[in-house]
Amino acid sequence: KGAFTGAIASQPGKFEQADGGTLFLDEIGDMPLELQARLLRVLQEREVTRLGATRGMAVQCSLICATHRDLEQRVAEGLFREDLLYRINGLQMPLPPLRQRQDFDDLVRHLLAREAGEEVPPVLSDAAWAALRGHSWPGNIRELQQALKLAVALSEDGAVMVEHLPAPLRALSAPLTTRPPGTLQRAECETVRAVLARHKGNVSAAAKDLGIARATLYRKMRQFGLN
């Protein structure tokens, strides 16, 4: 108490709370350099000193960090300490962006059910599914959550139509000139068409967005009658 306004002497810090367990630091790539130095010292000495205290206390915890930054690039730019990177750089688990996830449909259904709460979740129309699958999702899960929250709020008679989605997704719902038979083929065709439309016909950019080779995309375009 007295270290700063509103300080409580009995309030433990994050490392003290995690003692004997695991501490998760999100977006560590955006941590200010001054705090990076303090973090490195704690990790090296395994000891923390409370604000206003005169003695340190030992802490033992595992550390998990997450970031959307390229930490090696941040080091090169002088925005992240190289010694701290070496200290935290153990097992790496790269997470794919939402547009590359294989469980996208299951995730959409899960989030729809969560947004609906105790009510029966609405059913997505084919056009709404195509718009969701064709979007690049730069905002990842948070963007998808917000889109589905809006869709549930605007849905009528238990159905989500494309007009219930945010404006950037509605732009992907132009009608198809060629629709191959079969639900899976139709969904794939709509996704390919939507991504091509978003990149204004740039096949290289569309293939990269879809995570496939250009030759594969050309083959699918021929298969679905897209030019």
Side-chain angles (χ1 to χ4, degrees):
K1 185 175 181 179
F4 59 88
T5 303
I8 302 174
S10 61
Q11 181 69 42
K14 298 300 182 184
F15 269 99
E16 190 176 347
Q17 292 178 52
D19 190 22
T22 303
L23 177 64
F24 174 64
L25 298 179
D26 198 7
E27 298 298 358
I28 193 171
D30 296 316
M31 178 179 284
L33 284 168
E34 180 183 358
L35 290 183
Q36 292 178 32
R38 297 182 183 181
L39 174 60
L40 179 62
R41 185 163 58 249
V42 172
L43 295 177
Q44 290 288 99
E45 300 175 1
R46 297 188 178 275
E47 182 180 271
V48 295
T49 303
R50 281 185 174 184
L51 286 173
T54 58
R55 293 185 178 181
M57 60 180 68
V59 291
Q60 288 284 347
C61 66
S62 299
L63 183 66
I64 298 176
C65 303
T67 181
H68 70 287
R69 303 282 191 180
D70 182 336
L71 292 186
E72 292 184 354
Q73 180 64 32
R74 300 282 282 180
V75 169
E77 295 171 351
L79 299 175
F80 199 84
R81 293 179 62 108
E82 188 174 23
D83 47 3
L84 178 58
L85 175 59
Y86 293 146
R87 185 63 181 78
I88 66 174
N89 191 18
L91 174 66
Q92 292 189 12
M93 293 182 61
L95 300 179
L98 179 59
R99 63 182 175 273
Q100 294 179 5
R101 288 183 57 153
Q102 301 300 312
D103 61 344
F104 179 81
D105 289 7
D106 291 334
L107 183 58
V108 168
R109 295 187 185 97
H110 169 73
L111 293 176
L112 273 177
R114 193 171 74 176
E115 289 297 335
E118 297 181 357
E119 300 179 2
V120 177
V123 177
L124 289 164
S125 68
D126 288 347
W129 270 116
L132 291 173
R133 292 169 179 145
H135 189 51
S136 62
W137 301 107
N140 283 302
I141 297 292
R142 292 185 181 93
E143 184 183 4
L144 176 60
Q145 286 177 318
Q146 191 62 26
L148 296 179
K149 183 175 183 178
L150 176 66
V152 170
L154 298 180
S155 63
E156 299 176 350
D157 300 323
V160 171
M161 311 304 291
V162 71
E163 57 264 28
H164 300 146
L165 298 174
L169 279 76
R170 294 199 301 270
L172 303 177
S173 61
L176 288 171
T177 56
T178 303
R179 286 178 178 263
T183 303
L184 290 177
Q185 276 190 315
R186 185 170 65 249
E188 186 178 18
C189 177
E190 290 172 341
T191 299
V192 169
R193 180 207 55 77
V195 174
L196 282 168
R198 184 169 62 252
H199 291 288
K200 297 181 174 58
N202 187 320
V203 176
S204 296
K208 183 178 180 180
D209 198 349
L210 289 166
I212 60 178
R214 280 201 313 167
T216 302
L217 180 53
Y218 275 121
R219 187 180 73 250
K220 291 184 179 296
M221 290 168 63
R222 290 192 298 270
Q223 175 186 351
F224 299 142
L226 302 174
N227 55 39

